[in-house]
Amino acid sequence: MTRMFTDASSVLAGWAHFIVFDLWTARFFVIDSAQLGIPHLAVVPCILGCMFFGPLGLLSYVTVRKVCDMLANNNRTATKTFKF
């Protein structure tokens, strides 16, 4: 790994990956979670996972998003009242 980053083109590729994938994906996490009402503290581990482990962070955010959606749907159906 250290030998790979001694070459200038490898360093450029590493930075491009960091900027394009990690930062833009983390930005998507923050914006999307704010729109859906997902607590920020639930998203922070996903952002860190994205920064350090790439696609694993994306997978963790998709999981958090699905869990929060399922919890929100359970709360909506539990409070329904019917008029006859």
Side-chain angles (χ1 to χ4, degrees):
M1 188 77 165
T2 55
R3 264 191 257 155
M4 184 177 87
F5 286 111
T6 58
D7 182 31
S9 61
S10 297
V11 172
L12 178 64
W15 272 105
H17 177 270
F18 175 73
I19 290 170
V20 172
F21 181 79
D22 298 347
L23 294 178
W24 281 90
T25 306
R27 179 180 179 268
F28 167 73
F29 293 170
V30 172
I31 292 171
D32 188 59
S33 64
Q35 290 174 347
L36 296 174
I38 298 172
H40 189 68
L41 287 177
V43 179
V44 170
C46 302
I47 293 172
L48 292 174
C50 180
M51 293 295 170
F52 293 115
F53 305 111
L56 189 61
L58 180 61
L59 180 64
S60 67
Y61 177 70
V62 170
T63 304
V64 166
R65 184 178 179 186
K66 188 70 173 173
V67 168
C68 287
D69 186 44
M70 287 171 46
L71 292 173
N73 284 339
N74 284 343
N75 287 341
R76 272 188 244 133
T77 58
T79 58
K80 280 188 179 179
T81 58
F82 297 98
K83 293 183 180 181
F84 294 100

